[in-house]
């Protein structure tokens, strides 16, 4: 029987690398370290996997640096040995660090995933605040986000954009806010302000939106979020849930029904 290092180097490591790259649109300097024993591997269990990468792109989101650790992972390793693709069999937590540079964050604003989230947020803000005297009643899919930009400062983030509805005048938006965490998966606005322009030191306090919360989901737990000039650092944990896989059809014929 092959020793564990040979199984990892010749079968498991290439399979995991292939799976990781299939999830990403681009990645630089992908490093992978696997800890597992021979018996555990053949039973489909991996004790620990460490992954680090630079300049990864996932669903249009640009990640400057990422470092992740997953433990007690169940896979279809017996099928991988027979040439099948690697598949995850159970949900498992991944802990890690994430660094986003301002430039990469702004590239991410071009992706529908983040752009749509920003539009939803701005519409909620404008409907909840009297900062502009205008009333926006459009649905998100009726509005285009023009020239969006994020500026990361010391403890705060500034969002600059223009909302362009299909049938009314554009609305310029400049908002500066701090961010704070609660319960690990609630991200709150902290003393948001509506600014007259991007370089303004002070603006109109949006008191009705102070504490406004974004629910990051029950699978997310963030321990640390740090905003610094030009970059954002995040440390936390997320639960990876395997994609549903269709089971093979049973042998029932076309005319058979459940009885």
């Amino acid at each position: 029987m092959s020793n564990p290092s040979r199984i990892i180097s010749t079968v498991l490591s290439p399979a995991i690398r292939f799976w990781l790259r299939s999830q990403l649109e681009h990645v630089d300097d992908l490093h992978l370290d696997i800890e597992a024993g021979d018996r555990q591997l053949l039973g489909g269990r991996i004790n620990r996997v460490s992954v680090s990468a630079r300049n990864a792109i996932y669903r249009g989101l640009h990640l400057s640096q990422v470092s992740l650790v997953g433990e007690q992972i169940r896979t279809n390793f017996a099928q991988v040995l027979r040439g099948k693709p690697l598949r995850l069999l159970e949900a498992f937590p991944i802990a890690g660090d994430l660094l986003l540079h301002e430039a990469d964050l702004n590239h991410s604003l071009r992706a529908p995933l983040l752009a749509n989230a920003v539009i939803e947020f701005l519409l909620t803000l404008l409907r909840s605040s009297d900062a502009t005297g205008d009333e926006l009643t459009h649905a998100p899919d009726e509005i285009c986000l023009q020239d969006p930009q994020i500026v990361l400062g010391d403890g705060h983030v500034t969002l600059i954009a223009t909302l362009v509805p299909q049938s009314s005048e554009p609305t310029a938006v400049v908002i500066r806010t701090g961010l704070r965490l609660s319960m690990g998966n609630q991200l709150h606005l902290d003393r948001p302000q509506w600014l007259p322009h991007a370089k303004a030191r002070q603006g109109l306090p949006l008191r009705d939106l102070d504490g406004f919360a974004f629910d990051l989901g029950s699978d997310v737990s963030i321990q640390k979020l740090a905003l610094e000039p030009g970059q954002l650092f995040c440390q936390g944990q997320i639960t990876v849930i395997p994609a549903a896989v269709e089971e093979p059809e049973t042998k029932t014929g076309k005319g058979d029904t459940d009885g």
Side-chain angles (χ1 to χ4, degrees), residues 202-223:
Q202 290 187 332
L204 176 68
L206 300 173
R207 294 186 178 89
D208 52 340
L209 290 175
D210 192 14
F212 182 91
F214 298 91
D215 189 340
L216 304 179
S218 59
D219 298 328
V220 175
S221 177
I222 298 178
Q223 284 81 51

Side-chain angles (χ1 to χ4, degrees), residues 117-224:
V118 170
I119 289 175
E120 289 272 11
F121 161 65
L122 292 177
L123 287 179
T124 300
L125 183 149
L126 293 171
R127 289 166 180 162
S128 304
S129 170
D130 56 0
T132 67
D134 302 323
E135 182 179 358
L136 286 180
T137 58
H138 300 77
D141 58 359
E142 297 176 338
I143 290 183
C144 174
L145 191 64
Q146 188 177 81
D147 301 323
Q149 182 184 358
I150 288 177
V151 179
L152 299 176
D154 188 6
H156 59 78
V157 56
T158 303
L159 174 62
I160 307 160
T162 301
L163 287 174
V164 185
Q166 292 180 357
S167 57
S168 60
E169 292 299 313
T171 299
V173 177
V174 183
I175 299 166
R176 180 179 297 150
T177 184
L179 298 173
R180 59 181 175 83
L181 287 166
S182 69
M183 298 185 294
N185 66 349
Q186 300 286 325
L187 186 63
H188 300 265
L189 302 185
D190 186 22
R191 293 170 292 177
Q193 298 181 58
W194 183 280
L195 302 182
H197 55 84
K199 294 185 179 180
R201 293 190 176 185
Q202 290 187 332
L204 176 68
L206 300 173
R207 294 186 178 89
D208 52 340
L209 290 175
D210 192 14
F212 182 91
F214 298 91
D215 189 340
L216 304 179
S218 59
D219 298 328
V220 175
S221 177
I222 298 178
Q223 284 81 51
K224 181 178 181 180

Side-chain angles (χ1 to χ4, degrees), residues 16-91:
I16 292 181
R17 282 180 177 274
F18 180 82
W19 181 81
L20 286 171
R21 290 184 180 276
S22 73
Q23 306 298 305
L24 301 170
E25 297 159 42
H26 176 84
V27 64
D28 290 335
D29 298 334
L30 177 63
H31 295 279
L32 177 66
D33 183 52
I34 302 171
E35 298 177 19
D38 194 15
R39 183 172 297 178
Q40 287 81 13
L41 278 177
L42 294 176
R45 293 191 176 276
I46 303 173
N47 295 337
R48 179 185 173 98
V49 174
S50 302
V51 178
S52 63
R54 291 190 312 108
N55 303 327
I57 303 177
Y58 173 70
R59 297 178 66 185
L61 302 180
H62 292 239
L63 311 175
S64 309
Q65 294 181 27
V66 59
S67 176
L68 305 171
V69 176
E71 296 182 325
Q72 302 304 316
I73 303 166
R74 281 206 63 221
T75 71
N76 63 330
F77 188 69
Q79 294 179 342
V80 172
L81 290 173
R82 298 196 296 269
K84 300 292 185 180
L86 180 73
R87 184 161 57 87
L88 301 175
L89 301 182
E90 290 181 357

